[in-house]
Amino acid sequence: MLYHAEVTIELKSGMLDPEGTTIKRALEHLGYQTKKVSTAKKYTIQLDSNSADIARQKVDEMCQKIIANPIIHNYTIELREA
Amino acid sequence: MKIAIVQFGGSNCDLDVLHVLKDVMGIDAELVWYKENNLDRFDGVIIPGGFSYGDYLRAGAIAARTPIMDSIKKIANEGKPVMGICNGFQILAESGLLDGALATNRYPKFRCEWTHLRVETTNTPFTSKFKKGEIIQIPIAHMEGNFYADSITLDKLNENEQVAVRYVDKNGHLSNDVNPNGSQENIAGIINAERNVIGLMPHPERASESILGSEDGIKMFHSMVDYISHN
């Protein structure tokens, strides 16, 4: 079965997010007041697997080993059959 | 004595480091491509600066997971000195050989300028030629040099004198104004608990000849060579 995973990587709370802060300021110049703007990166990964559980576990391993840096990032995984 | 200078796709300070070691210091050094899987013939390793793998994913993230890192970890475990400069520091942090992470600069811009640094410890193979508290000048050139570690790790780095250098003003005082990237506690370089693996955001190879404006950086290479000669 082919699975489609969407991995979202965000900075942990408390980490500086200069890009988010700059975008927030630009929004203010355009007249939009926001409470907070944060940046995130999204990766889409397609993989073959016998089950959704195994596919999720594999993607989680990938996140821990390379896609995220657990010191500064949180990540979420959304998985569906492709 | 032979020192390895590791080259990844995108390394770009490799030849500068080679020039300082070979031409300025007369030390036997060799460029080593990242596919090399045995570094046993070397007495020390330098991971130079650059943009390995285009900084894809995160600065240093891809290089940290190439096979040569296993050989570098082996060298480190044997107690041989390993120095990571700039992208090399990012690679060592990503590989887990050093604590913390290098996040995007507080003001998200590439900063290439001279910095004053205070030598926080001389008890490392890379800073033994300095005096403790000495103010030195070495330039930086990076966009991801904002050192971050959780508070437990930060406490440990301070307690064990693992902070090697901090950004200061010319009189040696710490302040936010002279912190070029937002690093916690103005940290510019750290060493591992075993005290043989160092990561430096400043580029000592760019301050190793008087024509470059400072010779403070070469003392780091002299310290390293001295350590190798005595071990």
Side-chain angles (χ1 to χ4, degrees):
Chain A
M1 182 74 75
L2 185 65
Y3 289 92
H4 178 98
E6 288 190 357
V7 176
T8 305
I9 310 283
E10 291 175 289
L11 287 165
K12 284 185 176 173
S13 65
M15 291 293 302
L16 288 173
D17 183 354
E19 192 175 348
T21 311
T22 306
I23 294 167
K24 182 177 189 301
R25 231 179 3 248
L27 287 169
E28 281 163 13
H29 289 312
L30 293 174
Y32 297 103
Q33 296 305 316
T34 55
K35 293 280 181 207
K36 189 180 179 187
V37 178
S38 308
T39 56
K41 269 192 179 179
K42 183 182 270 185
Y43 299 91
T44 58
I45 298 169
Q46 291 201 344
L47 70 166
D48 281 315
S49 177
N50 291 329
S51 77
D53 282 349
I54 294 170
R56 181 178 291 278
Q57 191 188 329
K58 285 274 178 226
V59 174
D60 192 66
E61 276 176 32
M62 294 175 201
C63 287
Q64 290 186 32
K65 284 189 181 168
I66 180 164
I67 299 174
N69 180 340
I71 297 172
I72 55 173
H73 294 140
N74 290 324
Y75 61 87
T76 54
I77 299 166
E78 283 185 43
L79 189 84
R80 61 176 168 80
E81 286 179 15
Chain B
M1 179 188 311
K2 201 174 182 88
I3 294 176
I5 301 165
V6 182
Q7 288 181 304
F8 295 100
S11 298
N12 66 9
C13 303
D14 41 343
L15 295 176
D16 294 6
V17 174
L18 183 71
H19 165 70
V20 171
L21 291 178
K22 280 189 107 162
D23 305 335
V24 182
M25 296 170 62
I27 298 294
D28 192 8
E30 187 182 312
L31 298 170
V32 180
W33 188 233
Y34 77 98
K35 288 189 175 169
E36 182 105 23
N37 55 17
N38 188 336
L39 297 175
D40 288 347
R41 67 186 186 281
F42 295 101
D43 303 294
V45 173
I46 297 175
I47 309 177
F51 300 87
S52 57
Y53 307 98
D55 280 348
Y56 290 169
L57 195 58
R58 293 179 301 281
I62 309 271
R65 287 149 181 100
T66 52
I68 199 171
M69 287 312 293
D70 292 332
S71 323
I72 294 174
K73 283 177 182 168
K74 181 166 179 272
I75 287 264
N77 287 336
E78 288 166 359
K80 292 175 180 171
V82 176
M83 177 193 280
I85 302 166
C86 195
N87 191 221
F89 185 3
Q90 295 160 339
I91 293 166
L92 289 172
E94 278 282 344
S95 73
L97 276 168
L98 287 174
D99 288 323
L102 284 314
T104 304
N105 291 354
R106 173 176 49 189
Y107 185 73
K109 176 187 166 202
F110 186 88
R111 293 195 67 164
C112 180
E113 62 202 42
W114 283 93
T115 60
H116 288 93
L117 304 170
R118 190 172 73 199
V119 179
E120 301 291 80
T121 173
T122 55
N123 180 21
T124 82
F126 313 93
T127 56
S128 60
K129 296 279 184 192
F130 297 101
K131 293 190 201 76
K132 188 170 178 169
E134 190 173 337
I135 316 302
I136 60 176
Q137 275 190 286
I138 299 181
I140 55 162
H142 62 250
M143 192 157 104
E144 288 91 8
N146 179 354
F147 182 80
Y148 174 84
D150 62 47
S151 58
I152 296 168
T153 306
L154 205 55
D155 287 348
K156 190 199 73 173
L157 291 174
N158 281 317
E159 278 163 28
N160 300 338
E161 285 199 10
Q162 285 176 252
V163 177
V165 279
R166 293 185 206 266
Y167 303 107
V168 291
D169 66 19
K170 62 183 193 308
N171 299 313
H173 298 126
L174 293 176
S175 77
N176 215 8
D177 293 345
V178 293
N179 185 339
N181 50 31
S183 284
Q184 286 175 320
E185 301 184 5
N186 289 35
I187 289 173
I190 60 164
I191 192 150
N192 63 340
E194 292 74 23
R195 309 194 85 76
N196 67 315
V197 178
I198 197 169
L200 298 161
M201 284 318 296
H203 285 265
E205 78 281 9
R206 297 188 188 182
S208 287
E209 288 174 275
S210 59
I211 195 170
L212 300 175
S214 166
E215 292 175 285
D216 291 334
I218 203 166
K219 285 190 185 176
M220 293 192 173
F221 300 111
H222 277 305
S223 298
M224 182 176 177
V225 165
D226 197 51
Y227 176 85
I228 293 169
S229 317
H230 290 91
N231 283 277

